[in-house]
Amino acid sequence: MPSLSNESLQAALEQRKEKHLYRSRKIVSGRHSIETIIDGVPVLSFCSNDYLGLATHPNVIKVLQQAAEDLGLGSGASHLVSGHNHTHHALEEELAEFVQRERALLFSTGYMANLGVISALLGRGDCLYEDRLNHASLLDAARLSMAQRLRYTHNDTQALDSRLSTNNQSKRLIVTDGVFSMDGDIAPLPEIASLARKHEAWVMVDDAHGFGVLGKNGGGSLEHFGLNSDDVPILMGTLGKGLGSFGAFVAGSNALIETLIQQARPYIYTTALPPAVVQATRTSLKLVTEESWRRDKLNSLIQRFRHGAQQLGITLTASNTAIQPIIIGQSDAALQASDTLLSSGIFVSAIRPPTVAEGSARLRITFSANHSEGHIDQLLLALENTL
Ligand SMILES: *Cc1c(COP(=O)(O)O)cnc(C)c1O
């Protein structure tokens, strides 16, 4: 019988190291911006999800400081007890208006929003259809809900169609990332929405990497395709990536949001976000709405990188978003490449299984509107010397 002991834990850790799958944390001592300090060394970073560079925007910081004065730090309780501040309420209304839905509901994290929605809507005997490359939180949500999980081949709408055809349980929900977090490609949402209509299922999109970044106005992958709430009744967006802050929201109909308030356990049984952070996020949302130049600049940086990489003979994926992976293959080789880049002052993290499939370890490069063309050229030069 295997038993829990420090010795057995240590043995498993050693095995993990031998397979080059050991995860360790690098300590950031500078600001969380493109230029920072990692383990004491100044670097140029290409691995944050702060795509618009709003995490360090001076207006956001000023509002945060003032709100901390006015409101304090913690909310002190969950939303349903005494933690629901007027700032939470105002941000929910602003988010709902921004994505053109009846209501929005704040969650403390995107991970919890996914658990909350899926476990509130589905139970034993219901069916959840998931893209194979969906985020871990969506896979975990299936377990919490006890619904049957049916995974379909990545972005393969024919596979989804046949999955939906063979099964006819009472409640059916299709859930997909809008932009896939480790690949950067966009889900075929118009086709998915029409399959949902054909098979009488609902669709939920996790737009963690699209919200604020894609679409002319930053509305995300739904705006990118011109889809509305009839096509995709449930939209989840996070506030820690494109908005440079923290937290998440779910947007949809009044009935959906009220159901979540009544039934989503990861909403009900957790402390509400710090109100000062929420107040600062309102400023982030304003910047996203009013200043589209960050999205334009980000896109031109992405194009510059792709063009330059192709000239160097570096194989890229089909991604056109700010997530530009370079597939290396083996975990040790990916780690080695990341270390070599770091020693030349370029920070790009290596992503290994089980986050990505076996044999597809990669450098996950991400861009920010705060990068300059010169930064892209620096990255390309370092890649040329490394790969
Ligand atoms: C980051 C991420 C989440 C989790 O959001 P947090 O707010 O960081 O918990 C959920 N889904 C996807 C696709 C993500 O990339």
Side-chain angles (χ1 to χ4, degrees):
M1 276 290 279
S3 62
L4 264 182
S5 68
N6 285 323
E7 288 71 25
S8 68
L9 295 181
Q10 199 57 48
L13 288 170
E14 295 305 331
Q15 267 187 357
R16 192 177 266 273
K17 267 187 200 155
E18 278 162 28
K19 292 187 205 147
H20 307 285
L21 297 178
Y22 200 81
R23 302 173 193 260
S24 59
R25 300 167 304 171
K26 291 189 163 53
I27 298 177
V28 179
S29 51
R31 331 185 91 194
H32 285 267
S33 183
I34 51 161
E35 286 171 303
T36 189
I37 315 257
I38 302 289
D39 291 336
V41 181
V43 297
L44 180 59
S45 169
F46 291 93
C47 46
S48 168
N49 302 316
D50 176 25
Y51 302 117
L52 301 177
L54 296 179
T56 48
H57 194 285
N59 294 7
V60 171
I61 294 166
K62 217 181 321 159
V63 171
L64 177 66
Q65 287 170 329
Q66 185 60 50
E69 280 282 342
D70 297 344
L71 304 169
L73 175 55
S75 64
S78 66
H79 285 275
L80 289 166
V81 176
S82 64
H84 190 60
N85 189 272
H86 71 94
T87 58
H88 295 110
H89 209 77
L91 179 58
E92 287 179 346
E93 287 176 347
E94 287 156 6
L95 284 165
E97 194 193 333
F98 182 61
V99 298
Q100 294 166 21
R101 283 162 193 252
E102 284 174 15
R103 299 269 302 271
L105 187 71
L106 286 176
F107 279 78
S108 294
T109 69
Y111 190 105
M112 294 164 81
N114 284 340
L115 294 189
V117 172
I118 290 167
S119 64
L121 297 182
L122 301 181
R124 213 183 280 278
D126 297 328
C127 275
L128 181 65
Y129 299 83
E130 295 218 33
D131 187 290
R132 271 206 176 274
L133 297 189
N134 272 356
H135 189 260
S137 55
L138 292 170
L139 305 179
D140 296 354
R143 290 200 216 170
L144 186 64
S145 73
M146 312 276 255
Q148 187 186 358
R149 186 179 74 189
L150 293 151
R151 296 173 83 178
Y152 58 90
T153 316
H154 177 52
N155 279 350
D156 183 341
T157 47
Q158 269 180 356
L160 174 59
D161 192 16
S162 64
R163 280 281 193 200
L164 286 160
S165 306
T166 56
N167 212 304
N168 205 0
Q169 246 88 355
S170 53
K171 293 185 202 158
R172 305 200 289 168
L173 177 65
I174 305 165
V175 63
T176 180
D177 285 20
V179 176
F180 287 86
S181 51
M182 298 300 137
D183 293 76
D185 53 345
I186 304 175
L189 297 179
E191 291 82 0
I192 290 175
S194 82
L195 283 178
R197 217 167 272 128
K198 171 175 156 195
H199 294 282
E200 292 176 36
W202 250 19
V203 183
M204 169 175 176
V205 170
D206 170 344
D207 211 17
H209 298 276
F211 182 69
V213 186
L214 289 189
K216 192 167 167 296
N217 302 302
S221 49
L222 272 64
E223 189 193 344
H224 172 82
F225 286 116
L227 298 175
N228 61 27
S229 55
D230 292 333
D231 304 306
V232 176
I234 312 173
L235 169 63
M236 192 286 273
T238 61
L239 306 171
K241 291 169 180 158
L243 268 75
S245 181
F246 188 72
F249 71 93
V250 174
S253 65
N254 187 49
L256 171 70
I257 298 306
E258 280 303 318
T259 301
L260 296 179
I261 293 172
Q262 308 308 317
Q263 287 177 209
R265 295 167 64 88
Y267 177 77
I268 299 167
Y269 297 105
T270 200
T271 302
L273 288 167
V277 170
V278 173
Q279 187 72 334
T281 310
R282 295 177 67 194
T283 301
S284 312
L285 182 62
K286 246 182 133 120
L287 290 165
V288 161
T289 311
E290 292 170 0
E291 302 188 10
S292 61
W293 64 265
R294 286 188 189 79
R295 285 182 287 281
D296 298 338
K297 179 164 174 217
L298 185 59
N299 285 327
S300 86
L301 294 173
I302 294 164
Q303 291 322 313
R304 185 181 185 89
F305 170 75
R306 287 186 66 84
H307 183 71
Q310 271 147 8
Q311 287 197 326
L312 294 175
I314 296 169
T315 308
L316 298 176
T317 67
S319 165
N320 279 312
T321 67
I323 304 168
Q324 291 289 327
I326 297 178
I327 312 289
I328 303 287
Q330 294 310 306
S331 295
D332 53 346
L335 277 181
Q336 176 79 57
S338 173
D339 286 346
T340 308
L341 287 170
L342 191 58
S343 64
S344 59
I346 302 284
F347 185 29
V348 175
S349 56
I351 308 286
R352 293 162 287 163
T355 306
V356 293
E358 204 64 53
S360 77
R362 65 197 63 187
L363 294 172
R364 178 179 181 268
I365 297 168
T366 55
F367 296 108
S368 156
N370 279 356
H371 283 126
S372 67
E373 293 188 344
H375 291 147
I376 304 297
D377 299 344
Q378 251 176 283
L379 169 67
L380 287 165
L381 184 65
L383 285 171
E384 186 181 14
N385 294 332
T386 301
L387 298 177

